[in-house]
Amino acid sequence: MSWDETLKRTQVEESEEFKLLEAVVNGEVAVEDAVQWVINRTMDRLENYGPGGTIEKADAITFIAIIELAMQIDTTQYGPLVEFLGELKQYNAVDSSTGLVLKTQDGSRVWSHLPSLTFWVREIWTDHESGRVTHLCDPNMEPDQQIRWAKLNIFLAQVTQAADVEYSSPLQVWISDAMDVSHMGLCGLRHVFEEGIPSKQLASTAGLIGVCYWLICAGDRLWENVLNGRKYNKYDGRPGEMYANRGWKGFERERWDIWLQGLRDAKAACTPSEKLVEDLIDRALFKIEHVMNNEVSQ
């Protein structure tokens, strides 16, 4: 089911959750009050489902609303949504009859692991990757869809940058802060720079715009991932088709250098009519230079 179909089925913009989050963004409801309302509402919904109901189903509408709202509002308004996620992850959903923490099928805790955030973002990514909607690197994507994709990536990058990450495990499959969704940035970087897409085609695509914003908004986090050799599971950490034999598993320095060169090549391929994209690439390159220079000077 595509994201648009999900929105139609859930009627998310008419939901209490969407309207509540709008109020949070507009400063009309305190973040802490909104979190408590969502917790109570989710647990009530779960009980109403009765036998066969799942915590994933009860939790879904909140995160569909967060993601959709992020793709609609101005990017300067993301602060309260980021704060909302930071507050929500402090809690766990607990089964009132057993006292046990409720988990999703893959073992993730609701809400401390924020599993629905990653799940629904992946659904949008799969839409573009599978061809259910316009491909990320299709230069003919409608401008409004490019804007929505840019906003989604800015939001996720800001959420990731706000995370408090500890680099303690050699295999970072289970992240230390559920707000860190660096692996989604990695998916974008792999797709844009490791699949053999010509630089001339990239300049006018949502894919390139998205990874530029990841580097601009979360360059510090991504570079820390590289410095600490952050690794993921076989799906998230895999290399792109052009580099299938490299054995990469995450944020390797060799990959970082390839992404950097990919940005430079894309900039060189920009035409005079793509000045805005060229400027965006320059911002991403400046951020990369800044974070790398900080490391050298330490």
Side-chain angles (χ1 to χ4, degrees):
M1 182 188 302
S2 72
W3 184 251
D4 286 345
E5 291 169 334
T6 297
L7 297 179
K8 290 177 182 177
R9 175 172 289 188
T10 59
Q11 297 181 310
V12 66
E13 292 185 54
E14 301 302 317
S15 69
E16 292 178 298
E17 283 82 353
F18 189 90
K19 294 174 181 177
L20 174 71
L21 291 164
E22 278 189 312
V24 170
V25 167
N26 293 329
E28 298 165 359
V29 175
V31 168
E32 295 81 0
D33 293 340
V35 166
Q36 291 302 320
W37 185 93
V38 164
I39 288 172
N40 294 335
R41 183 73 179 94
T42 303
M43 298 308 293
D44 288 345
R45 185 181 293 112
L46 180 62
E47 290 185 7
N48 290 338
Y49 285 149
T54 65
I55 188 62
E56 289 100 323
K57 186 177 179 182
D59 192 44
I61 192 65
T62 296
F63 287 87
I64 294 171
I66 290 172
I67 294 167
E68 178 58 25
L69 183 59
M71 290 193 287
Q72 292 187 16
I73 62 177
D74 192 275
T75 58
T76 60
Q77 297 178 289
Y78 287 162
L81 289 182
V82 175
E83 186 181 347
F84 176 88
L85 291 174
E87 179 71 15
L88 184 61
K89 73 175 183 179
Q90 304 300 320
Y91 296 88
N92 282 313
V94 177
D95 187 322
S96 59
S97 62
T98 65
L100 298 176
V101 174
L102 293 169
K103 299 179 180 180
T104 60
Q105 292 182 355
D106 68 358
S108 298
R109 295 184 172 206
V110 178
W111 293 273
S112 58
H113 290 159
L114 301 178
S116 292
L117 176 65
T118 298
F119 176 84
W120 289 107
V121 169
R122 281 194 187 280
E123 286 295 290
I124 300 175
W125 175 264
T126 302
D127 279 353
H128 293 286
E129 194 172 39
S130 67
R132 289 199 297 236
V133 296
T134 308
H135 199 276
L136 287 178
C137 291
D138 183 343
N140 296 316
M141 180 184 284
E142 293 293 332
D144 64 322
Q145 292 301 310
Q146 285 202 4
I147 292 171
R148 283 171 60 82
W149 183 253
K151 286 183 174 183
L152 175 63
N153 283 274
I154 292 169
F155 176 64
L156 295 177
Q158 288 189 13
V159 169
T160 296
Q161 187 61 41
D164 183 15
V165 178
E166 296 179 6
Y167 296 92
S168 56
S169 169
L171 182 61
Q172 297 280 356
V173 175
W174 291 104
I175 57 180
S176 55
D177 188 323
M179 288 175 64
D180 184 336
V181 289
S182 295
H183 59 290
M184 297 310 304
L186 177 58
C187 284
L189 288 159
R190 176 182 63 239
H191 192 74
V192 172
F193 296 127
E194 299 177 17
E195 300 290 355
I197 300 170
S199 297
K200 289 183 179 180
Q201 177 181 327
L202 283 176
S204 56
T205 66
L208 178 66
I209 292 170
V211 298
C212 282
Y213 279 122
W214 263 100
L215 291 163
I216 292 165
C217 299
D220 300 90
R221 170 72 64 236
L222 300 185
W223 179 236
E224 285 184 359
N225 289 340
V226 173
L227 293 177
N228 288 276
R230 190 164 201 176
K231 296 176 175 60
Y232 294 91
N233 56 45
K234 290 182 179 180
Y235 178 81
D236 289 330
R238 73 189 190 278
E241 186 175 334
M242 283 186 66
Y243 305 94
N245 62 345
R246 297 296 177 95
W248 296 333
K249 297 180 180 179
F251 284 91
E252 289 83 1
R253 176 56 188 271
E254 183 183 24
R255 274 183 119 164
W256 178 268
D257 292 338
I258 287 170
W259 301 335
L260 177 55
Q261 186 58 50
L263 278 175
R264 291 169 176 159
D265 292 344
K267 178 184 175 182
C270 285
T271 64
S273 65
E274 294 167 332
K275 185 65 168 61
L276 291 177
V277 177
E278 186 177 353
D279 290 344
L280 185 64
I281 295 172
D282 276 336
R283 289 173 61 193
L285 289 170
F286 178 81
K287 182 66 175 186
I288 289 174
E289 181 181 1
H290 175 73
V291 298
M292 293 181 72
N293 283 342
N294 280 351
E295 176 59 24
V296 170
S297 64
Q298 288 177 0

